[in-house]
């Protein structure tokens, strides 16, 4: 039996773990902007405050697997905007402008839009 066939049954669980870990990391960015924990190395402006609300609320919904696809679509867009507004003006290259995280979040959330939440999601109970 090929490795691919042996691992295939675990794909929904691996997707749920990816979704959960991404959400937990994203929630941390929201708490940093809204509550100052962990302390932010930058000043919190109105734009950052709005981003913090999206990151905290959206991160919790993605963690729970509730409304995963539409929330992930919104968060993917937020990260694309964040990259072009905050990181891109610093330097063209993501390795130089510290935009790697924004790009990675953007594409993981975009992946969740198309893949769905995987196992252990409240979305699965709504069907």
């Amino acid at each position: 039996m090929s490795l691919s066939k042996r691992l295939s049954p675990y794909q929904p669980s691996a997707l749920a773990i990816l979704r959960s870990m991404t959400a937990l990391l994203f929630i941390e960015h929201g708490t940093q902007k809204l509550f100052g924990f962990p302390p932010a190395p930058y000043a919190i402006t109105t734009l950052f405050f709005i981003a913090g609300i999206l990151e905290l609320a959206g991160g919790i919904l993605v963690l729970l697997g509730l409304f995963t696809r539409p929330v992930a679509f919104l968060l993917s867009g937020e990260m694309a905007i964040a990259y072009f507004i905050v990181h891109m003006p610093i330097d063209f290259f993501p390795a130089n402008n510290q935009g790697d995280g924004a790009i990675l979040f953007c594409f993981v959330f975009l992946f969740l839009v198309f893949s769905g939440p995987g196992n252990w999601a409240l979305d699965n109970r709504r069907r």
Side-chain angles (χ1 to χ4, degrees):
M1 182 188 262
S2 72
L3 181 61
S4 178
K5 284 185 180 181
R6 279 189 273 157
L7 293 177
S8 289
Y10 301 103
Q11 186 271 338
S13 298
L15 178 57
I17 293 168
L18 174 68
R19 173 182 50 84
S20 299
M21 290 308 303
T22 301
L24 287 171
L25 290 170
F26 210 61
I27 289 167
E28 181 182 21
H29 287 277
T31 61
Q32 183 180 47
K33 291 175 180 82
L34 294 176
F35 308 121
F37 181 78
Y42 45 80
I44 303 300
T45 63
T46 303
L47 191 59
F48 279 111
F49 184 77
I50 293 167
I53 293 170
L54 287 171
E55 291 163 5
L56 182 61
I60 290 170
L61 288 171
V62 169
L63 178 64
L64 296 173
L66 186 60
F67 307 112
T68 304
R69 290 177 193 254
V71 171
F73 182 75
L74 179 71
L75 297 179
S76 177
E78 178 204 359
M79 288 294 93
I81 291 168
Y83 180 78
F84 288 109
I85 289 177
V86 177
H87 300 283
M88 185 71 162
I90 296 169
D91 192 287
F92 178 77
F93 299 102
N96 293 339
N97 67 23
Q98 299 176 346
D100 305 52
I103 294 170
L104 192 56
F105 275 126
C106 178
F107 282 93
V108 170
F109 286 130
L110 190 61
F111 176 73
L112 290 174
V113 171
F114 292 95
S115 68
N119 286 343
W120 315 310
L122 293 178
D123 282 342
N124 297 335
R125 294 183 181 258
R126 294 185 325 123
R127 293 182 193 153

